[in-house]
Amino acid sequence: MRKFTLSVLGAAMALGMYAQARFQSLYVVGNACSAGWSQDGALPMEKTADGLFVWTGELKAAASEDTERFKFLVDEKQWAPTITCNINTPEQQHQMVELADASQNPIKENKLYVRETESTGSDNAFTVSETATYTIAINLEAMKMVIVKGTEPIYPTIPTLGTDSLYLVGGAVNATGEWDHSLPPIELVGENGVFTFNDTLYTNAKDSAEFKFKTLANSWDETLVSAMEGGQVIAAVEGEDAAEYDMVFRPFEGSPNDFPFLITATGVYDLTIDLNTKKLTVNSFTPVEEEGNNAVAMVSEDVVRVLAAANTITLSAQGGNVITSASVYDVAGKCLGTVSESGSQVWFEGLSNGLYIVKMNCAGKDYVQKVLVK
């Protein structure tokens, strides 16, 4: 038996989807400020607009790694959830803030993270290198903090959709159905915000495959996804027909509504992507017969039973089979955890509600399964 606890996952997903809507109040707490580690004494931040908060006050420099730290309480000033730095490793539990300056371009920003429970991951906090008066500005839509010396706040910014480059990514891009992050994204040809793709997208007879677009080659910020809740299956158009679909721009990896496009047939797709209108057009489709085991098969219950309950996905090999490896992905294609030790059962714990993709090897064959945790 093998268990994998996703200590970061639930927090990261909840942060992106719900932080601005959930949290109406923020408070500075910690022994780097006058509040100390007192919930009752936590210092309120001023809410200047929905999702925007600011605070000015003295922060003390860290004398050692475990002293003079700060983070943020929310709403009822409980110890869970809290907002803190976007790291969660035993090697580095606290983060020295990056100070911003109005003359900088771009402004230095610090990524934020929601620690959902007191037992989730490491108890992280921010530190500063010099005792001084600072102003902290937080944008919950951006999930970022800007901290400056002095009293003039600088708020984190929301990027706008660029039109200079576009990349196609997803499980539909290769025959295995993997969101393979070791491969470079497919760069599309275009100009003036209009790009084209004319090549093979893959799926298999038992499942659909997913894809979306990103404007940055090395980041999951600034992506374009389906405007339809839950994802959009695109038509395998015939003849002179064409089908048009709406897209939405997600400025950050943690932004809500990460809904992919999906295909149900392998073939050559002629696509036009217009960033000016946020439209995806399927101009034509030529089917391609899949051969052998090019596509990953859907798992059947006589091989592995897949159960989702209590924020946990459980994989149980059947008939004396052994699961030799397993990985879980979010709908953005990010690998959230991998188990590489053989066993008859595998657990992935600490999941937030949502759709996941589990890929595994059992009885010498690769399988994929979509799992809804609720």
Side-chain angles (χ1 to χ4, degrees):
M1 290 186 240
R2 180 65 171 156
K3 181 182 294 187
F4 193 99
T5 300
L6 298 170
S7 57
V8 180
L9 172 62
M13 292 188 68
L15 173 65
M17 291 185 176
Y18 305 119
Q20 183 171 345
R22 290 168 67 195
F23 304 142
Q24 302 304 315
S25 301
L26 291 185
Y27 303 86
V28 186
V29 70
N31 53 5
C33 66
S34 61
W37 292 108
S38 166
Q39 293 166 270
D40 292 337
L43 307 173
M45 300 188 72
E46 179 187 356
K47 183 178 181 180
T48 59
D50 284 345
L52 300 181
F53 297 85
V54 66
W55 174 86
T56 298
E58 183 182 81
L59 294 173
K60 292 182 288 186
S64 69
E65 182 179 345
D66 293 323
T67 62
E68 286 74 49
R69 298 176 283 120
F70 71 95
K71 59 181 179 179
F72 306 97
L73 303 183
V74 301
D75 294 343
E76 303 301 322
K77 296 194 286 187
Q78 300 301 308
W79 289 118
T82 57
I83 294 181
T84 183
C85 48
N86 190 34
I87 58 172
N88 191 38
T89 65
E91 296 79 17
Q92 182 187 5
Q93 294 188 2
H94 310 308
Q95 179 176 320
M96 185 70 68
V97 299
E98 288 201 70
L99 293 180
D101 186 286
S103 64
Q104 294 171 335
N105 186 19
I107 294 293
K108 288 184 179 179
E109 300 174 327
N110 300 268
K111 291 185 178 180
L112 297 175
Y113 163 89
V114 170
R115 188 174 187 234
E116 289 289 346
T117 70
E118 292 188 61
S119 60
T120 300
S122 300
D123 189 9
N124 306 333
F126 288 105
T127 62
V128 293
S129 61
E130 179 183 349
T131 299
T133 296
Y134 295 90
T135 295
I136 298 171
I138 288 178
N139 186 326
L140 289 183
E141 182 179 355
M143 294 303 118
K144 292 182 180 180
M145 169 185 75
V146 173
I147 179 169
V148 298
K149 281 187 179 179
T151 60
E152 295 297 323
I154 301 175
Y155 285 95
T157 56
I158 303 294
T160 57
L161 173 59
T163 57
D164 295 332
S165 60
L166 192 67
Y167 302 86
L168 178 64
V169 292
V173 170
N174 59 77
T176 67
E178 296 281 351
W179 286 78
D180 191 340
H181 299 291
S182 66
L183 300 175
I186 296 177
E187 185 171 8
L188 305 186
V189 176
E191 59 181 1
N192 299 322
V194 180
F195 296 83
T196 59
F197 172 84
N198 195 312
D199 209 334
T200 304
L201 295 177
Y202 299 90
T203 186
N204 63 70
K206 295 182 180 180
D207 192 24
S208 57
E210 303 171 344
F211 68 93
K212 64 179 180 180
F213 303 98
K214 54 194 292 189
T215 64
L216 305 173
N218 299 312
S219 174
W220 287 105
D221 292 341
E222 302 185 32
T223 58
L224 284 146
V225 299
S226 167
M228 177 174 288
E229 184 173 357
Q232 173 79 66
V233 177
I234 67 172
V237 299
E238 299 179 358
E240 299 298 321
D241 295 335
E244 189 176 84
Y245 304 92
D246 292 324
M247 301 184 295
V248 294
F249 175 57
R250 299 179 69 248
F252 298 103
E253 181 178 356
S255 298
N257 305 329
D258 191 11
F259 303 135
F261 291 101
L262 304 97
I263 60 169
T264 57
T266 296
V268 176
Y269 287 79
D270 181 3
L271 307 178
T272 299
I273 305 96
D274 191 334
L275 302 186
N276 305 294
T277 61
K278 298 187 183 68
K279 298 286 188 181
L280 165 66
T281 302
V282 183
N283 302 301
S284 65
F285 166 76
T286 303
V288 173
E289 292 295 328
E290 294 181 279
E291 298 179 359
N293 293 321
N294 286 340
V296 179
M298 283 289 290
V299 67
S300 57
E301 281 203 4
D302 59 341
V303 177
V304 178
R305 288 185 180 173
V306 181
L307 175 66
N311 303 110
T312 299
I313 295 175
T314 303
L315 312 178
S316 300
Q318 304 297 300
N321 290 316
V322 173
I323 299 170
T324 54
S325 65
S327 300
V328 63
Y329 298 79
D330 64 16
V331 291
K334 178 188 285 187
C335 182
L336 305 169
T338 296
V339 171
S340 57
E341 297 178 14
S342 300
S344 59
Q345 284 191 314
V346 171
W347 292 273
F348 292 100
E349 297 183 327
L351 298 161
S352 293
N353 292 347
L355 182 65
Y356 299 90
I357 299 170
V358 177
K359 298 183 185 294
M360 70 202 81
N361 184 281
C362 185
K365 189 172 181 179
D366 291 327
Y367 296 92
V368 62
Q369 179 71 54
K370 291 182 181 178
V371 186
L372 180 63
V373 175
K374 59 181 180 178

